[in-house]
Every structure is written in structure tokens, then in C-alpha cells.
């Protein structure tokens, strides 16, 4: 189904959905949901756009039925964690390749696709400031490296002067038909980290798991720079999570607010999502967070 010209802004999100149809249907679903929500705001009245949106709605409805037993579809908080984790994994893989000065089409596509997935996170609510900065840096890096390689220049690794005026709509990326590596829905490297868990406690030595037929060597581990020329990025600190033994014993009855119960419930859901991917460390971290909140009233 051809994308109307009015929907140029979402064509790459739809292409990403198509690429992940079998690799990760959850990513495909939320990319299409984002495209539909954005398309409705752009033009829902012209016959061409209306027809396109109706077909997209039907497609989403079909996918929702097919994935009816998937928590990432049924529970928004789990879906949010799934998409954010996928985006961060692609970002970290591309960032590692960039800093190791391994410039190639897959890393460019990974940077750009991660920026699209940060867009998609808006279906769950407003983006965090961290994810806004990740999206901005990833989109700029993809454009910058692509332009350098096209012109025969050697890109400079890592952060440098971000050119706000660079074309970042990604037309050329899609035209080249790159095939980007991405987390495998069944791979052990997939980590369902909660949205609040940025680079801390993340293993930067693991990039996204490659899809079948795509080989790559993950870049060396190392924390990202504290800032990308005024773009604030939290350092990749590997601070150990609090263990139950380190939690202060509660003195008296702890007064918990409704918000505290909601947060604790979310942490438990994140833990359950992580266990689906056999990610024990993330599950333990989130269960510890829930325990600390319930026993101390503090995060």
C-alpha cells in the first residue's frame, strides 16, 4: 500500500515496521500505531489519506488479534519497556561501532532506526529528556556519517559539532535498502529494561543481536561521553544495584501513596518482562527496586 505524499514524515516508520514483521512483531505493531496516530494529525480528511489510514487501522486490528497473548501488546508498560530497550540496544551498537571507527551501512541504519524508535515511544506519552537527546544525536550521527561516506570523507568518531541544519529526514537511508542488525525477539541479549533505566547498569559490550544472515562484531565497551556538545547524556556508570541486605530496615509502618503502589507494580511488570527473555539481572534489579520502595517508601 503506497504511502500518500502527505505522510512523508511517517514513511520510514512504516518501512521499519515492515522490516520487523517477522523479526519482532511488537516493534512492527508500535511503529504502525505511531504512524497511524501521526497520520491522523497530519491529514485524516482527504480521500487518499483516509483510505490509507483505514487500511492501517485494519492492519493494526489484525496484528492485535494475532498478538493477543503478548504482554507487550496487552500491557502498555511492558510494551514501552520493549520498544525503549530495542531502541537503546540499536543506539549502543551503533555508538560502539562509531567510537571504534567502524563506519558501515549497518551502523548508519542502526543509528537512524533507533531515532525512529525513539519517535515511536511517544505513543506511550511524552518522551523523557534523555530519549529526546538520544534521538537527536542518533539522527544527526546517521546523517553525518552517511554524508561523509557518500563524499569519500572519513567521519570523525564520537561527539562533535552537531549541525542543526543538516537534512535528517532519512530519504537516502531508505533508498539504499540497508539491512540493519536488531535485537532478536528470542535472543538472550535482549534486555527489557524499564524506561527510567538509561545507560546505568547496561552492558555496553552487548550490541543488538543480529538477525539471521547478518554478521557483525560488537564494538568495545565503554561509557558514552557525558555530553554531546551540550546534549546531556547520562554516563554509562556500572553502579551495582542495591541488594536486599543493603536496604535499611523499615522503622514502623511505611506510608505508601497510590503512586508508590503503581511504581512498585510497574517494577514487578518490568521484572516479569525481563524474565520472558531470560534476563535475570534486569529482573533482579527491578524486583529490588520494588522491594526497596515498598519497605522504605523511597526509590
Amino acid at each position: 500500500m503506497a504511502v500518500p505524499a502527505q505522510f512523508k514524515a511517517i514513511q520510514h516508520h512504516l518501512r521499519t515496521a515492515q522490516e520487523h514483521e517477522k523479526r519482532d512483531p511488537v516493534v512492527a505493531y508500535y511503529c504502525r500505531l505511531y504512524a497511524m496516530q501521526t497520520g491522523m494529525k497530519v491529514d485524516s480528511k482527504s480521500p487518499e489519506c483516509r483510505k490509507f489510514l483505514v487500511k492501517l487501522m485494519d492492519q493494526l486490528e489484525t496484528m492485535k488479534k494475532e498478538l493477543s497473548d503478548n504482554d507487550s501488546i496487552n500491557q502498555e508498560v511492558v510494551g514501552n519497556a520493549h520498544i525503549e530497550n530495542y531502541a537503546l540496544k540499536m543506539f549502543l551498537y551503533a555508538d560502539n561501532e562509531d567510537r571504534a571507527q567502524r563506519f558501515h551501512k549497518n551502523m548508519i541504519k542502526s543509528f537512524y532506526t533507533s531515532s525512529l524508535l525513539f519517535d515511536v515511544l511517544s505513543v506511550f506519552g511524552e518522551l523523557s529528556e534523555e530519549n529526546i537527546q538520544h534521538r537527536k544525536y542518533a539522527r544527526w550521527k546517521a546523517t553525518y556519517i552517511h554524508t561523509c561516506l557518500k563524499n569519500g570523507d572519513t567521519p570523525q568518531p564520537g561527539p562533535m559539532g552537531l549541525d542543526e541544519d543538516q537534512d535528517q529526514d532519512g530519504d537516502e537511508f531508505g533508498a539504499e535498502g540497508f539491512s540493519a542488525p536488531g535485537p532478536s525477539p528470542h535472543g538472550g541479549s535482549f534486555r527489557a529494561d524499564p524506561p527510567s533505566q538509561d545507560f546505568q547498569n547496561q552492558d555496553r559490550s552487548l550490541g543488538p543481536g543480529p538477525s539471521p544472515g547478518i554478521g557483525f562484531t560488537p564494538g568495545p565497551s565503554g561509557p558514552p561521553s557525558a555530553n554531546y556538545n551540550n546534549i546531556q547524556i547520562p554516563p554509562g556508570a556500572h553502579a551495582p544495584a542495591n541488594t536486599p541486605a543493603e536496604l535499611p530496615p523499615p522503622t514502623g509502618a511505611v506510608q505508601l501513596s497510590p503512586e508508590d503502589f503503581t511504581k512498585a507494580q510497574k517494577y514487578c511488570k518490568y521484572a516479569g518482562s525481563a524474565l520472558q527473555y531470560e534476563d535475570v539481572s534486569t529482573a533482579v534489579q527491578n524486583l529490588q527496586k520494588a522491594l526497596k520502595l515498598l519497605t522504605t517508601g523511597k526509590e
Side-chain angles (χ1 to χ4, degrees):
M1 134 174 99
V3 181
Q6 298 95 310
F7 292 161
K8 179 182 178 182
I10 58 173
Q11 63 180 346
H12 292 285
H13 302 85
L14 290 168
R15 182 179 288 118
T16 299
Q18 190 173 9
E19 291 171 351
H20 288 78
E21 195 82 61
K22 294 181 180 178
R23 189 193 307 173
D24 193 322
V26 172
V27 170
Y29 176 83
Y30 283 111
C31 283
R32 288 185 177 124
L33 181 60
Y34 170 83
M36 188 194 75
Q37 292 180 353
T38 305
M40 292 285 286
K41 296 173 186 174
V42 173
D43 186 347
S44 61
K45 296 182 178 179
S46 68
E48 182 186 15
C49 290
R50 191 173 182 82
K51 183 179 179 181
F52 181 86
L53 290 172
V54 168
K55 284 187 177 180
L56 193 54
M57 287 179 195
D58 290 342
Q59 195 173 19
L60 282 166
E61 198 61 37
T62 299
M63 291 187 74
K64 194 168 186 179
K65 289 177 182 176
E66 292 173 349
L67 301 170
S68 60
D69 60 347
N70 191 312
D71 285 345
S72 292
I73 302 298
N74 298 328
Q75 300 179 39
E76 187 174 287
V77 68
V78 180
N80 191 339
H82 186 112
I83 300 301
E84 183 178 46
N85 179 73
Y86 198 109
L88 282 172
K89 281 293 181 183
M90 295 199 86
F91 180 93
L92 291 171
Y93 161 70
D95 189 52
N96 279 334
E97 292 294 279
D98 175 46
R99 290 167 189 275
Q101 301 185 50
R102 291 191 288 264
F103 305 109
H104 50 83
K105 290 182 178 181
N106 276 353
M107 65 93 74
I108 295 172
K109 182 69 180 290
S110 290
F111 263 136
Y112 189 67
T113 301
S114 74
S115 77
L116 297 177
L117 293 176
F118 286 123
D119 285 339
V120 172
L121 281 173
S122 65
V123 304
F124 303 105
E126 290 187 20
L127 295 187
S128 67
E129 184 60 31
E130 293 157 341
N131 284 339
I132 290 173
Q133 301 304 334
H134 294 158
R135 176 179 63 181
K136 185 177 183 180
Y137 182 77
R139 199 159 295 181
W140 163 71
K141 260 294 180 180
T143 303
Y144 165 71
I145 297 171
H146 176 79
T147 302
C148 284
L149 296 184
K150 186 175 68 172
N151 296 336
D153 299 328
T154 301
Q156 293 296 312
M160 48 186 289
L162 192 158
D163 185 353
E164 297 281 0
D165 298 325
Q166 283 200 18
D167 174 22
Q168 297 182 354
D169 67 7
D171 281 345
E172 296 181 76
F173 305 136
E176 298 214 5
F178 300 164
S179 179
S184 164
H186 305 296
S189 65
F190 187 94
R191 295 171 61 93
D193 294 336
S196 62
Q197 193 153 340
D198 37 59
F199 286 104
Q200 291 193 6
N201 300 319
Q202 297 226 16
D203 183 356
R204 290 181 53 84
S205 66
L206 290 177
S211 60
I214 299 177
F216 70 90
T217 304
S221 62
S225 170
N227 70 78
Y228 296 129
N229 288 34
N230 299 323
I231 298 180
Q232 297 302 316
I233 300 292
H238 293 272
N242 284 336
T243 62
E246 294 170 343
L247 297 174
T251 55
V254 177
Q255 297 297 319
L256 298 174
S257 67
E259 290 77 15
D260 291 332
F261 285 109
T262 300
K263 287 180 181 178
Q265 186 179 38
K266 285 183 179 181
Y267 286 135
C268 291
K269 285 181 179 178
Y270 290 139
S273 177
L275 288 174
Q276 287 184 343
Y277 298 96
E278 300 179 2
D279 185 355
V280 177
S281 63
T282 298
V284 170
Q285 287 168 18
N286 283 288
L287 289 173
Q288 287 172 346
K289 287 181 180 180
L291 180 62
K292 182 179 179 182
L293 180 60
L294 292 173
T295 55
T296 67
K298 298 177 182 178
E299 291 190 76

